[in-house]
Amino acid sequence: MNFSCNVKLRNQVGFWLLGLFNNFAYVVMLSAAHDLLKPQEHKVCPGIEEDKDESMINITSGRDCNPLSTGSILLADVLPAIFIKLLAPFIPISTAIKIVTTSLLNFVSFILVALATSDTQTFVGVALAALASGLGEVTFLAYTHKFDPMVLSAWSSGTGGSGILGSGLYTVLTHAGLSPRSTVLSMLFIPVGIFITYTFIVKIPTNIDFEATEAVTSYASTDQVPLISNISSDEESDTSAGYIVQANEVDQINYADQPSEGNTNQPLVHDSEELTNDSHSQHIRNVNIEPLSLSEKFRLIPGLLKYMVPLGLVYFFEYAINQGLFELLYFPNSELSHSQQYRWYQFDYSIGVIISRSSLSLIKISNIKLLAFLQCVNFVLALLQSIFWTVPNIWIIFVFILWEGLLGGAAYVNTFYRISEESEPRNKEFSLGLSSVADSTCIGVAGLTSLYLHKWICSLPLPD
C-alpha cells in the first residue's frame, strides 16, 4: 500500500520550507553585501540618507567602486560552508542535533551582523550564517533518502524560493527606508522556522514500502533507527536462512515464497502484493546492509566527479558574475541608485533560480556540461559589459541575469536528481551529502576570483 497523499504533500511542503529557511540567511547576506561594505554602515550618521554618497569613487578611473568587492562577503559566506560540508558526511551525529545547531548558528549570525560595528564583526556574522547554511544543506540533502524522491524537487524549489523571498524582502524593506542592519535583524524568524518545520511538519513515511526503504538507507544514518525492533536474539541467529536479504541477493529472492507471519523466521515484508513496481521498489530488497566504511566512502568519490565537476563549473561562473561583476554592471543614468541596482539584480537572479529549481516535474536535463558551457558564455558577456558598458539599457541586463539564474537553478536540481536516481541505495545518502561540496567549493573560488576582478576593473578608465 502506498503512503497517503496527505503525507506526501506534507513532506513536500516541509522540504520546501526547509529549503527556503536553510538558504535564507545565505541569500540575505549576499543581497546585503554592497550595503554592508559601505564605510558609513559602521558609523552613526543620522543626517545622511542611505543611498547618498554610498560608494567610493575611484579617483584614478572614475568608476563607482566599494573599497572591497562583494566577493569578500561571498568568501565569508561560503568558506565555512565548504568546511562543514566536507566534514559533516563523515561524522555520526544525529540529524536532530545538526538541525538544532543549524538554527542556533542562524540566530547568532543575524544578531551579530545586525549589531556589528566593524567589518570584522560583520564577516564573523556572515561566516556563522555560512556554517548554518552548509550544515543544513548537507544534512537535509542526506535526509531526503528517507522520503519519496520528489521531496528533492521540493527542497530545490524551496532553496530557489529563499533566493526570491530573501533578496525580495531585503530589497523591499530597504527600499521602504529600513536600514540594512535593521532589515537583517528582522529576519530572526528564520531559525525558528527551521526548528518548527523539522519537528512538526516533516514526517518520515510509515507505510510498508518506506519502512523497508528506511531500513535499507538508514544503515549508516546518523538517526540510528533500528532495523527490525521485534526480532529476538534467537530469531537473529536464524537470519542466515536468507530471510534478511544481503546485498548480493537483491534479485534472487521471491518474497511470495518466504515463510508466513506465523512462522518462527519472519520476513521483513509479509505481503508481496504490497510491493510497488516503481523505480524505488528495489530499496525494499536491500536490508541489513553493512554501513559504508571510511575507505568505501573515499572509493565512491571518483565516481561522483561526473556530477560534481559540471555543477561546480556552473556555480563558479555564476557567482563570479553575481559577486564579482553585478556591482560593476552599473548604469549611472538609471533612476535606481547603485545600491538599488545591485539589490534588484540579486532579486532578478533569484526569480530565474526558483523557476528552474521548480521545473523538475516538467523537464529533466541530463547534460549538465552544456549548462556549464552556457554559463561560461554568460560570464564572458558580463565581463565585457562591466569593462566597456556597451549595453545601452538596464532592462537588457535584467533579462540576461534572469537567464543566468535559470541555468544555475537547472544545474542544481538536475544534478542532485541524477545522483538520487543513479546511485545505489547503499551509497545514496553519502553521495547526496558529499556532492553538495562541489557548488560550495567553486563558489569559494569564484569569491576569490571576484576580489581580483573587482580590483582590476575598478582600476580601468571609464569607457568613452
Side-chain angles (χ1 to χ4, degrees), residues 207-277:
N207 68 295
I208 195 165
D209 290 347
F210 273 82
E211 282 178 350
T213 301
E214 183 182 345
V216 175
T217 53
S218 62
Y219 55 86
S221 171
T222 55
D223 293 312
Q224 303 298 319
V225 180
L227 180 63
I228 302 176
S229 58
N230 62 345
I231 291 183
S232 66
S233 58
D234 291 336
E235 289 171 329
E236 288 173 357
S237 65
D238 293 326
T239 58
S240 59
Y243 305 126
I244 294 183
V245 185
Q246 302 299 321
N248 60 354
E249 298 171 341
V250 171
D251 294 316
Q252 300 174 11
I253 300 297
N254 183 346
Y255 280 89
D257 295 335
Q258 298 304 322
S260 65
E261 185 175 354
N263 288 352
T264 304
N265 297 318
Q266 299 183 20
L268 180 63
V269 181
H270 300 295
D271 187 355
S272 61
E273 293 180 356
E274 292 184 340
L275 300 180
T276 61
N277 293 322

Side-chain angles (χ1 to χ4, degrees), residues 17 25 68 132 432:
L17 289 173
L68 283 175
L432 286 168

Side-chain angles (χ1 to χ4, degrees), residues 401-460:
I401 291 172
L402 180 69
W403 163 246
E404 178 221 350
L406 287 170
L407 290 179
Y412 181 92
V413 67
N414 283 280
T415 296
F416 285 107
Y417 177 78
R418 285 188 59 198
I419 295 172
S420 179
E421 288 294 293
E422 297 172 12
S423 297
E424 296 181 7
R426 184 172 184 244
N427 304 333
K428 186 178 295 187
E429 180 181 7
F430 175 78
S431 298
L432 286 168
L434 187 66
S435 295
S436 67
V437 175
D439 57 342
S440 295
T441 302
C442 290
I443 290 173
V445 176
L448 185 62
T449 304
S450 297
L451 299 179
Y452 293 97
L453 273 178
H454 178 89
K455 183 177 180 180
W456 173 60
I457 296 175
C458 286
S459 68
L460 297 175

Side-chain angles (χ1 to χ4, degrees), residues 270-333:
H270 300 295
D271 187 355
S272 61
E273 293 180 356
E274 292 184 340
L275 300 180
T276 61
N277 293 322
D278 62 18
S279 61
H280 306 288
S281 63
Q282 60 177 312
H283 294 271
I284 301 174
R285 300 181 214 133
N286 294 323
V287 185
N288 199 33
I289 304 175
E290 288 296 320
L292 289 174
S293 66
L294 187 61
S295 61
E296 286 177 312
K297 290 180 178 180
F298 278 110
R299 284 198 295 270
L300 284 176
I301 294 175
L304 294 174
L305 294 180
K306 64 181 179 181
Y307 308 108
M308 297 171 70
V309 172
L311 178 65
L313 288 174
V314 169
Y315 271 80
F316 169 78
F317 293 120
E318 185 172 331
Y319 278 83
I321 296 171
N322 293 3
Q323 303 307 128
L325 301 178
F326 267 10
E327 61 179 322
L328 302 175
L329 299 176
Y330 174 47
F331 287 80
N333 298 324

Side-chain angles (χ1 to χ4, degrees), residues 116-156:
T117 56
S118 68
D119 281 337
T120 300
Q121 293 175 2
T122 297
F123 284 128
V124 171
V126 173
L128 292 178
L131 281 174
S133 176
L135 180 59
E137 182 176 13
V138 73
T139 301
F140 290 126
L141 277 174
Y143 194 50
T144 61
H145 80 285
K146 294 177 177 291
F147 301 83
D148 180 84
M150 288 311 295
V151 300
L152 191 59
S153 178
W155 158 268
S156 298

